[in-house]
Amino acid sequence: MSFSFCLLATTIQKVKKPYVDSRARRNVTRLNEELADVQRIMVQNIDEVLHRGEHMNSLATKAHDLSARSEVFRKEAKYLNLRSAYAKWAALAVILVLFILFIRFWVF
């Protein structure tokens, strides 16, 4: 752990060295430019996070709509399956009635 601390202290000293002379105009200008860059990057990051939030809201709305539509589809599919079953049974009943009538009137 102490080696890491020494390495960090060395790195800090290297970064700090250009800014030691606070009276130098170019150091202050350089510091202001770097701060402006950091500010620009942070504003860009915040804008991206807000955009992602809007995108997430859009996805949540689409997911809710899809869920509602799937429920409607499920109900309509159930209705159509029931209607198809009734049609099959009705066709079978008609054939059975015709067969009974055929036997009743043609055979006897």
Side-chain angles (χ1 to χ4, degrees):
M1 169 128 26
S2 63
F3 178 73
S4 298
F5 180 73
C6 291
L7 185 62
L8 178 63
T10 306
T11 305
I12 291 173
Q13 290 301 323
K14 285 180 184 177
V15 171
K16 188 174 137 182
K17 192 173 185 179
Y19 303 105
V20 170
D21 187 9
S22 63
R23 290 178 277 179
R25 182 85 168 142
R26 68 171 193 247
N27 287 339
V28 174
T29 303
R30 184 174 170 197
L31 181 62
N32 285 336
E33 289 172 356
E34 289 186 15
L35 287 174
D37 286 343
V38 169
Q39 182 182 9
R40 181 186 52 80
I41 291 169
M42 292 304 295
V43 168
Q44 182 180 2
N45 288 343
I46 290 171
D47 286 343
E48 288 176 1
V49 167
L50 290 175
H51 180 69
R52 287 182 197 144
E54 291 171 1
H55 187 66
M56 293 298 288
N57 288 339
S58 173
L59 286 177
T61 302
K62 288 178 183 179
H64 183 268
D65 291 344
L66 183 61
S67 176
R69 287 182 184 183
S70 69
E71 183 65 26
V72 169
F73 178 79
R74 185 186 66 79
K75 287 179 181 178
E76 288 180 3
K78 188 175 181 179
Y79 171 74
L80 288 175
N81 285 336
L82 186 62
R83 198 167 161 196
S84 174
Y86 287 156
K88 288 177 187 176
W89 285 105
L92 184 62
V94 167
I95 290 173
L96 185 62
V97 168
L98 288 176
F99 181 71
I100 291 172
L101 288 176
F102 176 75
I103 291 179
R104 169 94 165 114
F105 290 112
W106 287 92
V107 175
F108 295 112

